[in-house]
Amino acid sequence: MTNVATQYGISGDTAKGIASSVERGVAEGALAPGATLPPVRRLADELGVSPGTVATAYKELRQRGIVVTRGRGGTVVAPAPAVASRRPPKVPQGLRDLAGGHPDPGLLPGLPPVSGQSRAVRSHRSTPRLAALEEAVREWMGAEGVPVEQVTFAHGALDLIGRLLSVELRPGDAVAMEDPGYHHLLDLLTALGLRAVPVAVDDEGMRPDGLDKALRAGVRAVVCSPRAQNPFGGCFSAARRDQLVDLLRASPDVLVVENDHASAVAEAPLRTLAAGGLARWVHVRTVSKFLGADLRWAAAACDATTLARHDGRMLLTSGWVSHLLQETVHQLLTDGGTRALVARAGETYAVRRKALLRELGERGVEAHGASGMNVWVPVRDESAVVNGLRSYGWWVAAGARFRLTSAPGVRITTAGLEPADAARLASDFTAVLGESEATYGG
């Protein structure tokens, strides 16, 4: 074990001074992420202070996310927090982009003009949510079995989830995350100083054995998708939902975050954990996949405690979601023509996804995509496949940024892939797999 105190020279004769010294070393790069700090008693002897003083300093550093404690592994400098989510590489010119995860622009509605919206003077802080939109949200979610006694709004799903995790958890706390999972959520955890505990997924969503292990390890929250899981495409079966609910009921202090990000275009029934009588839960929906990415709005139904904590923190920051934005969302959610377009979009995405799955399957290529607009294909070497498909004119997403400990794969967004093109892509994919196996050893 490296004696960092000798290498860097941690100093201080008070808890605050010791903590400041460690933080200075981290900021200057002298203490790298993963570096082991000296045991409490050893550092106390070297600095001539009591073990309690060093323990208090380490506790302060943990609370601020600068260090984490790993049991017998000791206290180590935390991974460098993300200041921005990892951005995918730019799509090379001339390639067909199947990497972005975006909906087909031709299946998105036009937005109503702002000039036609109300500019009435109102107390936004005392009435942050429009009553008509609240009612529409209750109808929307309640029709699929989500309890809707308490609802709230936010500036997108990541905004809401990030606010809740920052209120509920402290730096160093563990969160059960899908693996592979949504890379922006994984980056968000790092930025908050939280620890991701990987839970494997399959075609039915988060696996019960992995969740059980994570709960036993002491996670404080669980983040999962009930359908259109990104990037794997899984959706809860009734049996899987019941298995997960049974596990979560036994851990009433764990916050369960259900991210139903594709909802209306997932083309799969919702089997929600929220209906399982959990103590702490939130069901989150955004509209970016079927109304437009620039509508930075999300709705959530949750238990009363979660509502109070979320809205209390929001009141101190942004205060409310723009009423002009709320009116826009309400007009679209309640418009008959928009509803018909969204229904058609969901059906179209299902046809396109299934076409690629069928073509790959006929060529003996394993692929997953039970719902949503993405297909996950396990591969031996992600770079070889991505670069190989590039030579055929396709651009797909390497799976590395979605994975924690799961096996390699690539994600193909099928939202804009016409069934007529699926056969050519599958044929090219098969050729690339053969070429990569010949090069890297099949």
Side-chain angles (χ1 to χ4, degrees):
M1 181 180 296
T2 302
N3 189 332
V4 177
T6 300
Q7 288 187 343
Y8 166 66
I10 296 175
S11 61
D13 54 12
T14 65
K16 184 176 182 179
I18 295 168
S20 296
S21 176
V22 172
E23 185 172 4
R24 187 165 54 252
V26 172
E28 294 173 352
L31 297 178
T36 303
L37 299 189
V40 169
R41 290 189 178 278
R42 184 194 302 172
L43 184 57
D45 290 342
E46 292 174 354
L47 298 179
V49 299
S50 71
T53 298
V54 175
T56 299
Y58 282 10
K59 180 179 179 181
E60 179 182 338
L61 291 165
R62 282 196 303 274
Q63 290 175 337
R64 294 167 59 197
I66 297 170
V67 303
V68 295
T69 299
R70 294 178 175 170
R72 294 181 179 178
T75 299
V76 302
V77 177
V83 295
S85 186
R86 294 165 290 174
R87 296 187 181 276
K90 289 185 178 180
V91 182
Q93 189 173 0
L95 298 189
R96 179 77 176 275
D97 182 13
L98 302 179
H102 305 303
D104 184 341
L107 293 172
L108 296 175
L111 301 182
V114 174
S115 59
Q117 297 176 9
S118 168
R119 284 184 170 79
V121 177
R122 53 173 73 90
S123 175
H124 295 79
R125 288 188 180 273
S126 62
T127 311
R129 294 183 292 275
L130 298 182
L133 184 54
E134 272 200 45
E135 186 57 35
V137 166
R138 287 192 167 92
E139 177 185 339
W140 179 30
M141 293 186 178
E144 293 189 275
V146 179
V148 290
E149 286 78 10
Q150 289 88 212
V151 299
T152 191
F153 303 157
H155 303 93
L158 285 170
D159 173 64
L160 186 143
I161 294 171
R163 185 175 297 108
L164 275 178
L165 293 180
S166 66
V167 170
E168 297 278 347
L169 280 65
R170 295 293 177 266
D173 284 347
V175 181
M177 300 293 292
E178 297 167 326
D179 186 21
Y182 184 37
H183 63 98
H184 288 309
L185 278 173
L186 297 176
D187 291 342
L188 177 61
L189 254 63
T190 301
L192 294 174
L194 302 174
R195 209 161 32 88
V197 176
V199 178
V201 299
D202 59 22
D203 293 329
E204 296 181 68
M206 185 174 271
R207 289 179 55 88
D209 53 350
L211 177 59
D212 183 45
K213 184 178 179 181
L215 291 170
R216 292 178 184 275
V219 297
R220 295 285 309 281
V222 176
V223 181
C224 61
S225 302
R227 52 187 172 181
Q229 195 274 342
N230 186 4
F232 206 86
C235 59
F236 291 161
S237 64
R240 175 63 56 84
R241 186 265 320 277
D242 292 346
Q243 288 175 304
L244 297 177
V245 165
D246 287 344
L247 291 170
L248 292 166
R249 276 179 180 162
S251 300
D253 294 330
V254 172
L255 175 65
V256 179
V257 179
E258 188 173 64
N259 182 19
D260 192 18
H261 70 99
S263 61
V265 290
E267 197 62 15
L270 175 66
R271 299 182 178 96
T272 176
L273 301 174
L278 304 179
R280 299 298 315 285
W281 62 275
V282 57
H283 176 91
V284 188
R285 291 188 182 182
T286 183
V287 296
S288 60
K289 296 299 184 187
F290 57 92
L291 295 184
D294 279 339
L295 292 176
R296 307 309 299 161
W297 175 87
C302 53
D303 66 89
T305 299
T306 299
L307 178 75
R309 292 179 178 176
H310 174 271
D311 285 7
R313 175 61 62 88
M314 190 172 193
L315 186 64
L316 296 172
T317 54
S318 59
W320 66 89
V321 175
S322 160
H323 281 199
L324 293 177
L325 174 58
Q326 291 187 49
E327 288 185 359
T328 298
V329 173
H330 178 256
Q331 288 182 45
L332 291 171
L333 284 180
T334 57
D335 176 70
T338 300
R339 287 184 171 183
L341 177 61
V342 171
R344 181 163 64 86
E347 295 168 356
T348 302
Y349 294 146
V351 168
R352 294 173 179 176
R353 185 188 71 251
K354 291 175 182 177
L356 180 59
L357 289 171
R358 181 177 62 253
E359 295 291 348
L360 289 171
E362 289 177 354
R363 291 164 175 79
V365 178
E366 177 190 357
H368 302 273
S371 58
M373 56 183 68
N374 295 302
V375 167
W376 178 263
V377 187
V379 298
R380 183 183 298 274
D381 188 294
E382 294 177 0
S383 296
V385 171
V386 170
N387 290 325
L389 286 173
R390 176 177 180 173
S391 68
Y392 284 88
W394 306 103
W395 187 245
V396 302
R401 72 181 190 270
F402 302 96
R403 299 188 291 108
L404 293 169
T405 61
S406 56
V410 296
R411 189 192 72 173
I412 304 173
T413 299
T414 57
L417 184 68
E418 295 288 353
D421 295 327
R424 181 167 66 88
L425 173 58
S427 178
D428 292 344
F429 203 108
T430 306
V432 168
L433 287 181
E435 292 166 3
S436 66
E437 288 181 359
T439 302
Y440 296 95

